[in-house]
């Protein structure tokens, strides 16, 4: 505060206080004004230092904000790139899976066709073999029937010879008994 303001406020509060200030000014005037000047300079320096600190702090905060924002943008870019890479890999895997599925379906279809052809071939071969076996069986059966007929006739011829031999042996036995 200036001296005139102090005097006015001092006169209002206490009319005798102004005299004390005059005495003080007389006794300590030059020291008080020196202290006041020094305090004023110190106050200005402190205010300037505070302002400088505020400015430096603001600049630091702004630079940190800018660095954080750049880092975030860089990270966002990396995340976007990674996402794009993963999406591309996923699409590639889906395409490969689709291609593999198509190839597998074709392979299965061709295997089924081959199996059906092989089965038809085996059936035809079995039918031919069955017919051949049937023909051979009929042939063997006819041959056996013929052989059986021949053996039957031979046996019947032998049987007659046996009967005659048996009769003859009976006669010999009768003669031996009588003799």
């Amino acid at each position: 505060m200036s001296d005139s303001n102090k005097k006015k406020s001092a006169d209002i509060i206490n009319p005798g206080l102004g005299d004390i200030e005059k005495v003080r000014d007389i006794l300590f005037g030059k020291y008080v004004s020196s202290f006041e000047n020094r305090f004023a300079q110190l106050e200005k320096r402190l205010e300037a230092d505070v302002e400088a600190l505020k400015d430096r702090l603001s600049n630091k905060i702004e630079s940190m904000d800018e660095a954080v924002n750049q880092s975030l943008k860089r990270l966002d870019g990396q995340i976007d790139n990674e996402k794009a890479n993963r999406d591309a890999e996923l699409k590639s895997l889906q395409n490969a899976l689709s291609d593999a599925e198509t190839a597998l379906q074709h392979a299965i279809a061709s295997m089924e066709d081959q199996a059906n052809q092989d089965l038809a071939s085996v059936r035809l071969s079995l039918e031919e073999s069955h017919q051949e076996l049937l023909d051979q069986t009929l042939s063997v059966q006819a041959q056996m029937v013929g052989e059986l007929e021949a053996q039957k006739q031979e046996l019947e011829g032998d049987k007659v010879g046996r009967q005659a031999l048996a009769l003859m042996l009976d006669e010999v036995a009768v003669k031996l008994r009588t003799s």
Side-chain angles (χ1 to χ4, degrees), residues 49-158:
D49 286 347
V50 167
E51 281 300 317
L53 283 173
K54 283 182 185 177
D55 289 342
R56 282 179 39 202
L57 186 58
S58 293
N59 290 339
K60 288 280 186 186
I61 289 173
E62 286 176 11
S63 67
M64 289 176 76
D65 281 347
E66 193 173 311
V68 167
N69 286 337
Q70 287 177 355
S71 294
L72 287 175
K73 284 180 185 178
R74 203 171 43 244
L75 287 175
D76 283 343
Q78 288 175 349
I79 288 171
D80 289 342
N81 287 339
E82 190 67 26
K83 183 179 177 185
N85 289 341
R86 295 295 176 226
D87 287 345
E89 288 176 7
L90 180 63
K91 285 182 182 180
S92 173
L93 287 174
Q94 285 174 339
N95 289 338
L97 183 62
S98 176
D99 292 344
E101 182 181 10
T102 302
L104 183 62
Q105 287 175 350
H106 288 310
I108 289 172
S110 71
M111 287 172 62
E112 285 178 347
D113 290 343
Q114 185 65 37
N116 288 337
Q117 289 174 357
D118 290 347
L119 185 61
S121 173
V122 167
R123 280 185 185 157
L124 181 62
S125 176
L126 282 175
E127 287 176 7
E128 289 173 357
S129 296
H130 181 266
Q131 190 61 41
E132 285 177 18
L133 284 174
L134 190 59
D135 291 343
Q136 286 177 0
T137 303
L138 289 175
S139 169
V140 168
Q141 185 179 10
Q143 185 180 9
M144 289 178 87
V145 167
E147 286 179 14
L148 283 176
E149 284 293 322
Q151 284 181 359
K152 178 181 168 190
Q153 300 227 352
E154 189 179 307
L155 282 175
E156 284 179 0
D158 284 345

